[in-house]
Amino acid sequence: MTEKINIKNVAKLAALKLTSEEEQKLEKDLSMIIDHFAALSEMELPDEKITIHPLGMSLNLAEDEAFKFFTHDEALSNAPEAIDGQFVVPPALD
Amino acid sequence: MNIVPTIGMETHVELKTNSKMFCRCNVAETEKPNENLCPTCIGLPGSLPVPNKKAIEYITLLALSTNCAITNDGMFHRKNYFYPDLPKNYQISQFDLPVGTDGSLEIVVDGEFGTVEIERVHMEEDTGKSTHIGSGRIDSATSTHLDFNRAGIPLVEVVTKPLIKSSKEAVAYIEELRQLVIDLNISEGKLEKGNLRFDANISVAYENADELGTKVEIKNMNSLKSLEKAIEYEISRQTKMLKNEEIIIQETRHWDEKKEVTSSMRSKEGSADYRYFSDPDIPNMILDEDFVADIKKDMPLLPSDKRNTFIESGLSIEDANSLGKSATWIGELYNSVSNITKDSKVSFNWITGELQGQLRKLEKATPPNWLNPENLSEIISLVKSDKISFTSGKEILSKLIDEKINPEEYAVANKLIQENDTEEISKMVKEVLDENEEVIERISNGEQKLIGFLVGQVIKLSNGKVNPSVAKELLLKEIEQ
Amino acid sequence: MDHYKLPISDINKLFKDKKLKPSELYTEVFERTASTESIIHGHLSLFQEENIKKATDADERFLKGDELGVLDGIPVAIKDNINISGYATTCSSQMLSNYISPYDATVISKLKEEGVIFTGKTNLDEFAMGSSTENSAFGPTKNPWDPSRVPGGSSGGSAAVVSAGSAIASLGSDTGGSIRQPASFCGVVGFKPTYGTVSRYGLVAFASSLDQIGPITNNVSDAKILYNSIRGHDPFDATSLKDVNVKQPKLEKAKIGIIKELMEDGISEDAKSEVHKVSKLLESQGHEIIEVSLPLTKMSISIYYLIAPAECSANLSRFDGVRYGNRVNGNTSYEMMEATRAEGFGPEVKKRILLGTYALSAGYYDAFYGQALKARSMMKKEFTETFEQVDYLISPTTPSDPFKFGEKSDNQLEMYMSDLCTIPANLVGMPAISIPTGLSSSGLPLSVQIMSPSNTDNTLLDFAQNLESEVSFDALPQIQGDGE
């Protein structure tokens, strides 16, 4: 694969902050793996409807019955920061 | 050359199921935040989604009622982006195989029928609620608080084709969609509660252009009024730019309710890459012919059905439309009353004008249970037949809202029955004229408004019982002689 | 006498016959743990305190004749990517080093009802991504057969503790071979069930369409017992199957296919000769051995390394420090998420997330992920057609015997190649079992893998059990410090 991977862009999409060393190494490693995919990419494969379940099972929908799972405290039990029962994070920009 | 706008609407409808879309947590509002949660709706490691059957039935109902084609073999997709109110940092949604496609909705604009074409209807889940703490403006917040009670509530997204031509049409469309989800009983449809949320995509172009202009997405319109204003503002902003040959950027803009302008949101580099792929946790969703037929079978009356019935009863398109969008009891009352009085317009006016007006003043949502089609029709007939004046009719109605009375009996007991006998009225007219010769002089000299004074005298003489228009007629005849 | 290598049904009989008490067995097992853990490092956490009470409760039950079933009082180790309420589930990651599960995985609820005693949580490659357990953030697990060698991965801890006797059995998870390969490296039995027969609710997802929980045990009969107690439809898992009836393969005079493509380049001579040795044994049992060709298996690594990272890139997005996990602060929530993930994830996890993100991103979907899905679909067809010719398929479990620490960690492609033989079963969804059959020229365990059509799990287990008794593999690791 001749096209260079824009590792910065991919890292941004994945919300991963990389050091420049990491960027270099990963770019190299990923390019190597992607080159390995060349044979697969070039195969002529027929278009087919995707079946999500490996065994072709179709979806069983659930009945609309509500029940209580967590107490308020259980839900917040691992919260890194919480105030007045809400999870707290640094300001989220749009 | 004319510049014409093109509008597309994206609306999210909150479904009123008992439990969330992908887990069985309760959807009801709670006093405290983070009360209705489970591993799935807060994205704990190891949790899995299981779709809600009722939600699928509701979306199918909506898709069918808008004449959409139903996708028999569909699936869910993951829409990937990072935001703290999104527990998994992907939203389970639908991408290229939505439940419904290519539908339409009949609307009424300025008293005329129109159609809005619908591109797709798809299923997705709501996010949690974020509250920005700080000085109020999002740019200077110091932290964000998160409540995940809302995370996972079923949402239906309805996307129109970009074929809406005016703000009025957009507003009429939202009104129709809202009434539809209420009539289908799949959503409360309350804008102020966020049951229905909408964004508008707006572009402008010269009339003869081959392509549509650059589309701009407008968010944060919380009422129909702001929808209308925002669209108007944006159209005018883009039109100015087009005329000045300025480039319109594809972006998302925020409607500022206070300043009444749209403004750029913090810029995102280009359009987002959501990396949609089919959700491997949810097998293919087969909605077969039997399933669809069952849903169709139980389809309630649609707003368009009710509107047509009202039109057939004699109302104008405009009146029929507004009646269909009022509370159910109003339409039902209208049907019964117009059946009895055989006068659709008058029945409509009395119910939507007088009755609703009086109830509103008393801050009542509905009339008392003793107010029924029969006694209301009685009041209407009394006025129609000139037995009582319109003012008296209003008085009786007011009394009826207050306590259980018989309108005709009340009218008689309170001497509201009008004198309509021409002979009787002529006598009184002659008497008044005899006593007011100077006034007659002045009227003959041009002071026409003194006629009113004379009519008042006749009314006084009759203790309010005389039919004022008959009195006036006779007075004028006499004066001319 | 030592009981920790006995089959579960034998132990259960001893319990019922009052010749052994659950608390005595537990003490034995715990003493094994105490003497081997410092070398092996198979467990990340031990539930010692509460287990003493659980064991004596089990004693009571057997005394009264109230025992819960064949698994009552049996110490089982659990891979640390399976949630047990009230205990840490770290996935061997810094990201979750402080995370305490507030709920039980479905398999755990089921085992609790059986009276199983959980020894503790075992080590794995971080988030189940790896083939050696070298990717654990808390240090590697050593192979009981030779501590300078890897136990395999990602369920290295689970396999090592069974091999060492610090648990009677364990649960692992298998996405591309993560139960079978470490089982092979540690000389024990590893079984990956048909996709969907065991609930994934409570298993921290790596690749949703490939993951399955399964048993790692001393023998096939134990695997069968454990499998049948954890399997079953689960309303909390939309991919979990309701009972499916399919034609079962034959147990006698069966046709067995050796997969040609898994006996070629990249497979060691030792591994190939095990397959040949076992084939001869099977022939002597009256079965027929033929060679079959499944050309698409050569694409397995590429297909897998597109599908698994793509799915995991989304599955791991939830680890952002918002609702749980080791948060690293930032000025904005996005910066916080970025920093939290940078510090919480190890290099292999980051690599796979980025690979998956790339494969799914705009412009690349069709060539990569989309293409992999199509190829997977074709591969399934190839196997379905082949199973019309044969009852079972046989191959090596791993290309070689256990490698040394650091041997493959610099060569990512070689590391990925460890999964060559095991990946097809995950891609297709079929059940696969690895049983130890012999020792390599270095004296390290070698195994063969048997596969059968989907939903024939118990028949496969029965078939494997017959083979196992014919093979009679009874070698045990000599762990340094083992008094013997």
Side-chain angles (χ1 to χ4, degrees):
Chain A
M1 193 116 304
T2 46
E3 207 181 305
K4 202 161 177 254
I5 300 169
N6 188 333
I7 199 78
K8 277 192 159 69
N9 273 1
V10 182
K12 199 102 204 123
L13 286 175
L16 272 176
K17 190 156 159 211
L18 302 174
T19 63
S20 46
E21 281 132 25
E22 279 176 322
E23 279 178 8
Q24 273 176 33
K25 182 167 199 302
L26 283 162
E27 197 167 54
K28 205 165 120 259
D29 284 348
L30 290 183
S31 301
M32 202 195 302
I33 298 175
I34 287 163
D35 282 343
H36 193 81
F37 295 151
L40 176 61
S41 296
E42 282 149 26
M43 280 179 83
E44 282 281 328
L45 294 168
D47 255 332
E48 247 180 53
K49 181 102 211 291
I50 301 174
T51 303
I52 293 169
H53 195 281
L55 270 56
M57 171 189 161
S58 62
L59 181 61
N60 289 319
L61 296 162
E63 291 301 324
D64 182 34
E65 280 159 19
F67 64 84
K68 188 134 178 89
F69 198 113
F70 282 144
T71 63
H72 173 86
D73 289 340
E74 281 167 344
L76 267 76
S77 59
N78 285 290
E81 199 186 333
I83 294 175
D84 290 336
Q86 301 212 49
F87 293 87
V88 177
V89 293
L93 306 175
D94 274 322
Chain B
M1 180 78 56
N2 263 347
I3 293 178
V4 290
T6 300
I7 301 160
M9 295 294 301
E10 276 171 29
T11 310
H12 287 96
V13 180
E14 209 174 84
L15 296 182
K16 58 175 195 181
T17 51
N18 295 321
S19 63
K20 293 185 176 182
M21 185 63 215
F22 295 110
C23 65
R24 305 289 79 80
C25 286
N26 204 311
V27 302
E29 267 185 64
T30 60
E31 265 181 50
K32 295 206 302 206
N34 293 306
E35 282 293 317
N36 292 330
L37 301 178
C38 77
T40 299
C41 56
I42 45 169
L44 292 189
S47 61
L48 291 172
V50 184
N52 182 324
K53 187 167 174 202
K54 189 114 245 144
I56 300 301
E57 288 172 358
Y58 283 175
I59 186 180
T60 308
L61 198 56
L62 182 55
L64 285 171
S65 70
T66 51
N67 306 306
C68 288
I70 303 293
T71 304
N72 299 112
D73 186 350
M75 55 181 69
F76 288 91
H77 288 83
R78 294 187 182 177
K79 178 181 182 182
N80 298 282
Y81 65 97
F82 283 82
Y83 199 75
D85 69 7
L86 194 57
K88 304 180 289 300
N89 287 311
Y90 64 82
Q91 180 195 39
I92 302 179
S93 177
Q94 292 190 293
F95 184 53
D96 57 354
L97 289 168
V99 171
T101 56
D102 295 313
S104 64
L105 193 59
E106 179 187 86
I107 62 172
V108 171
V109 191
D110 286 340
E112 307 243 324
F113 282 120
T115 311
V116 170
E117 287 188 45
I118 289 174
E119 176 96 38
R120 51 187 280 141
V121 173
H122 77 247
M123 198 74 241
E124 59 182 48
E125 53 174 347
D126 208 344
T127 63
K129 252 201 198 110
S130 40
T131 311
H132 304 293
I133 307 296
S135 69
R137 272 187 52 83
I138 204 174
D139 284 0
S140 50
T142 53
S143 68
T144 298
H145 289 197
L146 299 160
D147 175 11
F148 292 99
N149 278 341
R150 198 184 72 180
I153 286 187
L155 290 182
V156 173
E157 183 171 336
V158 183
V159 182
T160 70
K161 295 195 178 162
L163 295 168
I164 295 174
K165 291 293 166 204
S166 69
S167 60
K168 267 197 196 159
E169 217 182 300
V171 170
Y173 163 70
I174 296 296
E175 286 181 324
E176 189 73 21
L177 184 60
R178 173 176 65 181
Q179 194 59 46
L180 179 59
V181 301
I182 292 172
D183 287 354
L184 290 174
N185 203 22
I186 63 176
S187 173
E188 300 291 347
K190 295 199 166 95
L191 262 59
E192 65 277 14
K193 290 202 137 175
N195 298 143
L196 212 75
R197 299 168 232 159
F198 39 82
D199 303 323
N201 287 309
I202 301 167
S203 68
V204 299
Y206 285 106
E207 210 159 11
N208 65 346
D210 293 326
E211 302 178 336
L212 293 176
T214 306
K215 82 171 176 197
V216 174
E217 186 185 25
I218 311 293
K219 282 183 171 308
N220 198 46
M221 300 159 294
N222 299 326
S223 65
L224 293 173
K225 203 84 247 125
S226 48
L227 174 63
E228 192 174 351
K229 286 191 188 165
I231 293 178
E232 286 301 319
Y233 175 86
E234 184 59 22
I235 289 173
S236 117
R237 181 189 82 94
Q238 289 188 24
T239 303
K240 256 186 229 141
M241 289 177 78
L242 187 61
K243 282 196 180 135
N244 292 337
E245 291 179 23
E246 286 169 52
I247 298 180
I248 297 167
I249 313 168
Q250 181 177 345
E251 57 168 341
T252 300
R253 294 173 74 85
H254 172 99
W255 169 248
D256 189 323
E257 194 64 51
K258 287 210 178 95
K259 296 188 184 152
E260 296 196 347
V261 299
T262 64
S263 53
S264 267
M265 292 173 75
R266 181 167 293 266
S267 68
K268 302 179 201 176
E269 290 115 49
S271 51
D273 180 0
Y274 293 118
R275 307 184 299 291
Y276 286 99
F277 71 104
S278 45
D279 194 328
D281 286 328
I282 309 176
N284 294 56
M285 182 165 65
I286 309 295
L287 302 177
D288 60 23
E289 297 301 332
D290 287 338
F291 174 85
V292 176
D294 270 342
I295 304 288
K296 237 192 204 152
K297 192 166 51 98
D298 294 327
M299 178 96 65
L301 281 178
L302 306 180
S304 50
D305 296 327
K306 292 190 299 185
R307 187 165 48 225
N308 287 336
T309 314
F310 294 143
I311 292 170
E312 276 159 32
S313 78
L315 291 183
S316 68
I317 298 176
E318 188 67 47
D319 287 346
N321 188 44
S322 89
L323 192 58
K325 292 183 171 48
S326 315
T328 319
W329 67 265
I330 299 175
E332 285 170 1
L333 185 58
Y334 164 82
N335 280 335
S336 311
V337 167
S338 58
N339 247 353
I340 300 172
T341 65
K342 305 285 187 247
D343 189 332
S344 55
K345 188 69 190 171
V346 167
S347 306
F348 175 81
N349 287 339
W350 269 96
I351 293 170
T352 64
E354 274 320 300
L355 177 57
Q356 278 203 268
Q358 290 198 25
L359 288 173
R360 224 172 286 139
K361 280 210 190 96
L362 296 167
E363 290 182 357
K364 286 189 176 171
T366 51
N369 56 11
W370 61 79
L371 192 153
N372 56 42
E374 287 71 34
N375 47 35
L376 182 57
S377 302
E378 207 174 297
I379 298 176
I380 295 172
S381 302
L382 285 170
V383 173
K384 253 189 92 159
S385 61
D386 268 339
K387 277 206 184 145
I388 61 176
S389 68
F390 183 67
T391 314
S392 301
K394 290 201 283 188
E395 186 191 315
I396 302 179
L397 179 59
S398 166
K399 199 72 197 172
L400 180 60
I401 292 173
D402 203 34
E403 62 178 86
K404 192 170 178 184
I405 54 157
N406 180 305
E408 181 138 20
E409 282 170 19
Y410 180 90
V412 168
N414 290 277
K415 302 190 199 292
L416 299 177
I417 304 288
Q418 285 187 141
E419 183 56 75
N420 287 321
D421 190 309
T422 327
E423 256 191 66
E424 283 298 316
I425 300 180
S426 292
K427 284 191 203 152
M428 291 190 256
V429 163
K430 286 215 176 73
E431 203 180 311
V432 165
L433 287 174
D434 284 342
E435 286 172 14
N436 288 281
E437 285 191 17
E438 335 80 63
V439 179
I440 300 170
E441 274 283 331
R442 287 165 73 184
I443 290 173
S444 312
N445 287 338
E447 290 185 60
Q448 292 294 314
K449 56 186 168 170
L450 287 175
I451 295 171
F453 167 75
L454 291 176
V455 172
Q457 294 298 100
V458 176
I459 292 174
K460 208 165 131 195
L461 189 59
S462 71
N463 288 321
K465 287 219 242 155
V466 81
N467 184 330
S469 32
V470 176
K472 186 172 177 190
E473 222 183 285
L474 292 173
L475 270 170
L476 287 171
K477 248 207 242 163
E478 284 293 325
I479 291 172
E480 264 159 43
Q481 280 172 6
Chain C
M1 92 166 262
D2 287 335
H3 302 98
Y4 57 83
K5 282 291 175 183
L6 288 177
I8 291 173
S9 50
D10 286 7
I11 296 175
N12 180 255
K13 189 161 191 309
L14 290 173
F15 285 167
K16 290 216 289 236
D17 292 347
K18 309 210 174 18
K19 294 198 179 133
L20 179 68
K21 290 202 282 199
S23 57
E24 289 167 342
L25 175 69
Y26 181 73
T27 306
E28 221 181 283
V29 166
F30 187 73
E31 274 165 14
R32 278 305 289 173
T33 309
S35 66
T36 60
E37 270 296 316
S38 55
I39 301 163
I40 307 296
H41 186 233
H43 281 96
L44 289 176
S45 60
L46 288 164
F47 300 164
Q48 171 61 351
E49 268 173 56
E50 72 161 67
N51 283 349
I52 298 173
K53 174 152 198 321
K54 284 201 169 156
T56 49
D57 285 348
D59 287 352
E60 278 294 306
R61 290 195 291 271
F62 278 99
L63 202 59
K64 290 194 190 142
D66 266 348
E67 63 270 11
L68 294 167
V70 72
L71 281 168
D72 199 346
I74 302 291
V76 176
I78 305 293
K79 186 176 182 182
D80 203 17
N81 61 354
I82 297 173
N83 279 274
I84 301 183
S85 185
Y87 294 93
T89 298
T90 69
C91 301
S92 290
S93 177
Q94 287 297 351
M95 178 66 80
L96 294 178
S97 65
N98 64 352
Y99 179 77
I100 307 289
S101 306
Y103 76 107
D104 278 331
T106 298
V107 299
I108 296 299
S109 307
K110 284 177 186 267
L111 291 181
K112 277 184 178 175
E113 276 171 32
E114 301 280 338
V116 160
I117 298 175
F118 303 120
T119 59
K121 308 301 274 308
T122 59
N123 200 13
L124 57 149
D125 280 296
E126 189 182 357
F127 285 109
M129 297 181 204
S131 312
S132 64
T133 313
E134 292 173 291
N135 294 329
S136 166
F138 306 125
T141 296
K142 315 280 178 62
N143 192 319
W145 291 79
D146 176 351
S148 72
R149 293 176 190 266
V150 303
S154 58
S155 312
S158 283
V161 303
V162 172
S163 169
S166 30
I168 300 297
S170 68
L171 287 187
S173 70
D174 192 310
T175 307
S178 291
I179 283 175
R180 293 160 284 156
Q181 186 252 30
S184 170
F185 277 12
C186 292
V188 290
V189 171
F191 174 56
K192 181 204 85 72
T194 297
Y195 181 88
T197 57
V198 177
S199 168
R200 290 183 299 116
Y201 186 72
L203 167 68
V204 181
F206 163 14
S208 318
S209 73
L210 302 167
D211 295 340
Q212 270 294 272
I213 295 174
I216 298 177
T217 55
N218 287 307
N219 54 70
V220 178
S221 127
D222 287 359
K224 188 169 181 189
I225 290 171
L226 214 41
Y227 166 66
N228 283 296
S229 70
I230 58 174
R231 74 176 178 92
H233 171 72
D234 182 11
F236 283 86
D237 176 355
T239 58
S240 108
L241 298 170
K242 295 195 172 165
D243 270 319
V244 182
N245 272 328
V246 305
K247 184 168 149 249
Q248 300 295 311
K250 293 197 282 201
L251 280 171
E252 299 192 1
K253 298 208 186 6
K255 265 216 180 97
I256 299 151
I258 299 182
I259 303 176
K260 171 169 166 288
E261 287 78 8
L262 297 182
M263 296 287 278
E264 293 173 337
D265 305 328
I267 308 291
S268 71
E269 288 311 313
D270 277 344
K272 284 182 202 168
S273 62
E274 274 316 292
V275 174
H276 290 309
K277 175 180 97 184
V278 166
S279 303
K280 289 212 172 60
L281 282 173
L282 288 167
E283 275 174 328
S284 76
Q285 281 186 314
H287 305 295
E288 190 188 332
I289 308 290
I290 64 174
E291 195 191 52
V292 296
S293 171
L294 288 150
L296 273 172
T297 40
K298 291 221 274 270
M299 290 282 135
S300 304
I301 305 283
S302 293
I303 300 171
Y304 174 81
Y305 277 97
L306 276 170
I307 292 179
E311 292 181 6
C312 96
S313 70
N315 284 331
L316 267 67
S317 293
R318 64 191 65 198
F319 300 106
D320 58 6
V322 172
R323 295 141 284 120
Y324 52 86
N326 271 314
R327 180 187 289 189
V328 175
N329 259 307
N331 291 325
T332 66
S333 60
Y334 182 79
E335 280 174 25
M336 180 274 285
M337 291 190 207
E338 260 192 324
T340 298
R341 290 159 66 79
E343 206 158 299
F345 289 143
E348 185 62 30
V349 171
K350 285 183 188 168
K351 190 198 297 187
R352 298 203 193 189
I353 289 175
L354 290 169
L355 178 57
T357 306
Y358 181 71
L360 290 173
S361 60
Y364 297 108
Y365 179 96
D366 288 330
F368 293 136
Y369 186 71
Q371 188 75 341
L373 290 181
K374 285 186 194 172
R376 179 181 188 177
S377 181
M378 297 241 67
M379 192 181 213
K380 279 194 271 185
K381 285 209 181 94
E382 245 181 28
F383 274 88
T384 308
E385 277 160 18
T386 305
F387 276 123
E388 281 162 22
Q389 317 267 324
V390 298
D391 294 285
Y392 306 96
L393 291 168
I394 189 170
S395 79
T397 304
T398 58
S400 68
D401 64 3
F403 48 88
K404 286 200 182 276
F405 279 104
E407 196 180 309
K408 301 204 194 228
S409 33
D410 281 334
N411 190 334
Q412 55 180 4
L413 288 177
E414 231 192 271
M415 182 69 90
Y416 294 163
M417 280 300 182
S418 321
D419 299 330
L420 178 65
C421 304
T422 47
I423 281 175
N426 302 86
L427 289 175
V428 169
M430 63 192 165
I433 187 168
S434 171
I435 65 171
T437 55
L439 296 176
S440 69
S441 38
S442 318
L444 297 162
L446 289 166
S447 299
V448 298
Q449 172 181 236
I450 317 217
M451 295 171 271
S452 64
S454 298
N455 288 304
T456 63
D457 301 58
N458 276 310
T459 310
L460 175 63
L461 286 159
D462 288 339
F463 180 82
Q465 195 167 355
N466 290 343
L467 174 58
E468 177 192 51
S469 58
E470 195 65 31
V471 163
S472 250
F473 175 84
D474 56 8
L476 286 174
Q478 292 300 308
I479 301 167
Q480 222 179 314
D482 245 357
E484 236 175 47

